[in-house]
Amino acid sequence: RAKEAGGNGVGWFTPELVRIARERIQLEQDLRVAVERHQFEVHYQPRVQVGSGHLVGAEALVRWRHPRRGLVAPDVFIGLSEETGLIRSIGAMVLEKAARQQVLWQSLGRRLRISVNLSPRQFGDPGLVDTIARIVRDTGCDPQQIELEITESVMLGQDESTNRALHQLADMGFRLAIDDFGTGYSNLAYLQRCPISTLKIDRSFIAGDDGVSPLARLVITMCRMLGIETVAEGVETEAQLDWLRTQDCDEYQGHLCSPALPADQFERQMLTMAGPA
Ligand code: C2E
Ligand code: MG
Ligand code: MG
Ligand code: MG
């Protein structure tokens, strides 16, 4: 086929494709070095109670402090780190940093719930639960103050081992949240089958111009019936927040309050916000 297209057998490989392949190889090399040299940082985005405006928690979001490219967003490297298996080290590192931060802020008198993203690929690791148990021991964190965010794809592909891992983590005291809810296949059966504490409504259902999607309303109502807490993601305007108030949504995250910030900045700017007594 390459011969047909290019005549010389290599014509199919356009300069553009070669460039993309080179970039990917470079990125993969850089990513391996980044893991060895601890080039990752964890930033924190406030989680705010809709009703009271209280700061109640934060989501831990990884960033890569690349020596030449500067701060790199997770969308650029999470996919590749999943494909290469590097997500295991990166994921464990993020959880450990977040757990230490939770303990530190608690020692400063702020009991925040920190949420951490787990990639579907991490559930393919038979050592996942042991790794997390080790992090609990090393950091002395209270798992009840940590929420593990998983995507619907984890729930749907659910095999025996994933199912067992989810129940073990819940038994250890971790809260489980479904992230980006509404963007997946939404087979709702798992909400009853699994010990889910929180459902995060994807930004795409919050970011309408004329009010918020009726689907968001349905999700909030359903969660109330199931005893699941709701978090609205990507809240950017007062109008969106007003709407969430009328719907009894529990918490929100979004640029309206603040983007994710480095830990020291979060401490200076966010810990001044009122919190629950
Ligand atoms: P996510 O878990 O759904 O995180 C929410 C994303 O929305 C974050 O992007 C956050 O910065 C962004 N965001 C928050 N508020 C607003 C807003 O008001 N408007 C807009 N436009 N965006 C907002 P970020 O930090 O770039 O992370 C992107 C995704 O990368 C995350 O989506 C998550 O799926 C993944 N990710 C981030 N950190 C980790 C990690 O430590 N492990 C794994 N496995 N995935 C991670
Ligand atoms: Mg998340
Ligand atoms: Mg999300
Ligand atoms: Mg997302």
Side-chain angles (χ1 to χ4, degrees):
R1 181 169 264 283
K3 236 188 176 110
E4 280 168 38
N8 56 7
V10 293
W12 188 78
F13 295 95
T14 63
E16 177 65 3
L17 283 177
V18 171
R19 190 186 57 79
I20 291 170
R22 277 219 186 96
E23 255 173 33
R24 204 202 115 106
I25 291 165
Q26 183 66 52
L27 190 66
E28 184 173 334
Q29 279 172 357
D30 287 0
L31 203 52
R32 288 184 192 283
V33 172
V35 170
E36 282 165 25
R37 299 195 187 159
H38 310 284
Q39 290 172 353
F40 299 98
E41 294 177 10
V42 178
H43 288 196
Y44 297 88
Q45 182 177 43
R47 247 167 84 164
V48 181
Q49 207 161 46
V50 169
S52 64
H54 286 166
L55 174 72
V56 288
E59 178 171 4
L61 293 158
V62 71
R63 273 93 181 89
W64 176 7
R65 183 69 65 182
H66 192 287
R68 291 182 315 278
R69 303 208 253 164
L71 204 61
V72 181
D75 288 335
V76 177
F77 63 89
I78 289 290
L80 188 58
S81 69
E82 287 175 332
E83 286 167 38
T84 52
L86 290 167
I87 191 67
R88 289 185 191 182
S89 320
I90 297 172
M93 180 279 301
V94 172
L95 180 60
E96 180 157 351
K97 275 192 198 285
R100 286 194 198 287
Q101 201 61 68
Q102 199 289 327
V103 171
L104 182 76
W105 282 333
Q106 184 142 326
S107 75
L108 298 177
R110 289 308 291 260
R111 195 172 155 83
L112 298 179
R113 183 184 289 150
I114 308 290
S115 67
V116 178
N117 295 281
L118 287 188
S119 125
R121 177 71 200 264
Q122 289 175 269
F123 283 89
D125 171 11
L128 176 67
V129 174
D130 286 344
T131 301
I132 294 179
R134 196 263 304 154
I135 291 171
V136 172
R137 280 196 308 276
D138 288 357
T139 62
C141 73
D142 174 2
Q144 310 222 27
Q145 294 303 112
I146 310 272
E147 190 162 84
L148 304 173
E149 298 192 4
I150 55 186
T151 53
E152 288 182 275
S153 63
V154 171
M155 307 308 294
L156 294 167
Q158 234 185 72
D159 45 60
E160 253 327 290
S161 66
T162 300
N163 209 22
R164 200 174 330 112
L166 289 172
H167 278 92
Q168 281 175 319
L169 293 170
D171 288 345
M172 287 162 73
F174 286 102
R175 295 169 58 94
L176 301 178
I178 303 295
D179 202 356
D180 304 333
F181 185 80
T183 58
Y185 316 84
S186 300
N187 168 347
L188 298 176
Y190 68 77
L191 289 177
Q192 286 201 307
R193 206 173 53 231
C194 277
I196 302 300
S197 306
T198 304
L199 206 147
K200 303 188 74 174
I201 306 166
D202 191 69
R203 183 158 60 90
S204 55
F205 296 99
I206 307 298
D209 338 313
D210 44 350
V212 183
S213 141
L215 276 172
R217 166 179 297 190
L218 180 66
V219 170
I220 293 166
T221 305
M222 174 190 73
C223 284
R224 195 171 318 123
M225 293 170 74
L226 293 169
I228 295 174
E229 282 185 20
T230 45
V231 181
E233 300 194 86
V235 174
E236 295 181 347
T237 68
E238 283 292 347
Q240 289 165 348
L241 179 57
D242 285 342
W243 185 86
L244 291 169
R245 265 192 211 107
T246 68
Q247 301 301 312
D248 280 331
C249 181
D250 295 302
E251 298 175 17
Y252 80 92
Q253 288 178 226
H255 294 169
L256 179 62
C257 175
S258 168
L261 302 170
D264 56 342
Q265 214 175 320
F266 185 95
E267 211 169 293
R268 272 183 275 120
Q269 294 178 16
M270 295 299 143
L271 293 195
T272 56
M273 280 174 74

